[in-house]
Amino acid sequence: MNNDNNSVEGSHKKLIEAPTSKPSSLGSLDNLDALSQYIKSTKGTREGRAIPSLEKWHPKDIADMDLTIKANGEWWHEGGQMTRESLVSLFATILWKEENNGITEYFLKTPVQKIRIQVEDAPLLINDVGIVHEDDMSWLEFTTTTGDVVRLDDAHPIVLKTYNSNKSDSNYSDSNYSDSNNSDFSESDFHNSDTANQLSTADDVADSQELASTEQVRPYMMVRNGLTALIGRNTFYHLTEIGALSEDNGNTILTLQSGGQSYSLSMPTE
């Protein structure tokens, strides 16, 4: 079956005031067509790409779907890549993360059912960053491939995390996040063209089979509802051009300015 090329028109419909029971004609929501139809059938007051109040939904019914968000940000369903961007963006609005017995689990959450999916690394991917000016203040504003827009601030920090490219287990706990002042980045990762060639982020995942069990340190950003986004290599490289590089006790420091505050990432030398 061509999984994501079913009729899914108007995928960015109103999503908020969803019904609290499944339409009887849909049955279980653990397939793409039924889930998309259910979301489209909901009514709400907000227009455009709205994020539902997922924290207010407490469904007891749990199902599983053969859907995996790859480490490079691609969505795959039943062995095939989902190429319809509108459908991926629609489902991204109901992404939900839970910690269960020390294991991180991801779901597509509705008021009536949680559908468990697999996530190899981060559920979201940042592919753009820019500087916006508002009320005499400058902000670093990041955009994900699925339409989230978030600014660098205390609630949305950038962190560094070690990722094992050969690890098939998609469950990662928050304890795996590295402190930005004790990361495994090398100093050369911050210097111009070396960054684009050496920084291990989403663009490197295609070669993960050849990298075997290589551990890579990658930059991530908090987005919403506990969900993090991997910062793509080109985007992070752009950050090194926007920010200021300095040296401190042998470490290379990248300092970023956003909302009148300074945020630093520190990389020890090898």
Side-chain angles (χ1 to χ4, degrees):
M1 175 176 86
N2 191 350
N3 304 306
D4 60 310
N5 289 324
N6 296 317
S7 177
V8 190
E9 299 177 356
S11 60
H12 286 208
K13 296 284 187 181
K14 307 169 185 178
L15 305 179
I16 303 309
E17 298 299 330
T20 56
S21 61
K22 287 179 287 186
S24 58
S25 61
L26 293 181
S28 177
L29 302 179
D30 58 353
N31 67 80
L32 295 187
D33 192 47
L35 181 59
S36 62
Q37 287 184 50
Y38 176 75
I39 296 175
K40 288 193 299 176
S41 71
T42 63
K43 301 297 182 181
T45 57
R46 282 192 272 181
E47 301 288 342
R49 185 184 182 276
I51 303 299
S53 300
L54 302 180
E55 70 281 358
K56 297 181 180 179
W57 298 348
H58 305 285
K60 296 181 179 180
D61 189 10
I62 299 177
D64 290 275
M65 180 185 288
D66 183 8
L67 191 155
T68 299
I69 302 177
K70 299 287 188 178
N72 63 356
E74 295 174 350
W75 288 50
W76 285 65
H77 178 249
E78 295 182 348
Q81 184 181 353
M82 296 172 59
T83 57
R84 187 182 291 274
E85 294 182 2
S86 60
L87 184 60
V88 171
S89 294
L90 174 67
F91 288 164
T93 63
I94 57 171
L95 274 170
W96 184 253
K97 173 184 173 182
E98 290 184 6
E99 299 289 338
N100 296 313
N101 298 319
I103 300 297
T104 300
E105 293 186 307
Y106 292 92
F107 300 88
L108 300 179
K109 187 179 183 183
T110 76
V112 297
Q113 190 176 50
K114 292 190 302 184
I115 300 99
R116 185 184 292 107
I117 65 172
Q118 301 302 310
V119 177
E120 288 186 349
D121 188 9
L124 302 171
L125 174 64
I126 289 173
N127 66 342
D128 186 54
V129 62
I131 301 174
V132 296
H133 303 281
E134 183 178 283
D135 298 329
D136 298 323
M137 191 79 71
S138 296
W139 298 84
L140 284 180
E141 190 169 86
F142 298 76
T143 305
T144 70
T145 57
T146 48
D148 289 282
V149 177
V150 61
R151 293 177 178 180
L152 176 61
D153 57 23
D154 291 344
H156 305 91
I158 296 174
V159 297
L160 303 176
K161 172 187 172 184
T162 300
Y163 172 71
N164 189 329
S165 63
N166 194 45
K167 188 172 183 179
S168 58
D169 183 2
S170 63
N171 296 317
Y172 295 92
S173 66
D174 288 344
S175 62
N176 286 332
Y177 278 99
S178 302
D179 184 278
S180 61
N181 293 319
N182 296 284
S183 71
D184 294 329
F185 266 114
S186 64
E187 181 179 0
S188 60
D189 288 328
F190 276 89
H191 292 295
N192 299 321
S193 62
D194 286 342
T195 302
N197 292 329
Q198 297 180 24
L199 185 62
S200 298
T201 58
D203 295 338
D204 298 320
V205 175
D207 299 324
S208 62
Q209 296 296 326
E210 300 178 4
L211 292 174
S213 60
T214 302
E215 287 191 348
Q216 307 163 357
V217 176
R218 300 175 172 183
Y220 300 81
M221 188 174 188
M222 187 63 64
V223 179
R224 55 178 163 85
N225 294 330
L227 301 176
T228 57
L230 172 64
I231 299 177
R233 180 173 62 185
N234 290 338
T235 302
F236 191 85
Y237 180 41
H238 188 36
L239 280 180
T240 67
E241 299 174 328
I242 293 176
L245 294 172
S246 60
E247 300 290 331
D248 182 27
N249 295 325
N251 294 338
T252 299
I253 310 296
L254 172 63
T255 302
L256 303 170
Q257 303 291 333
S258 183
Q261 301 293 323
S262 294
Y263 300 90
S264 296
L265 295 174
S266 176
M267 307 301 176
T269 57
E270 292 182 330

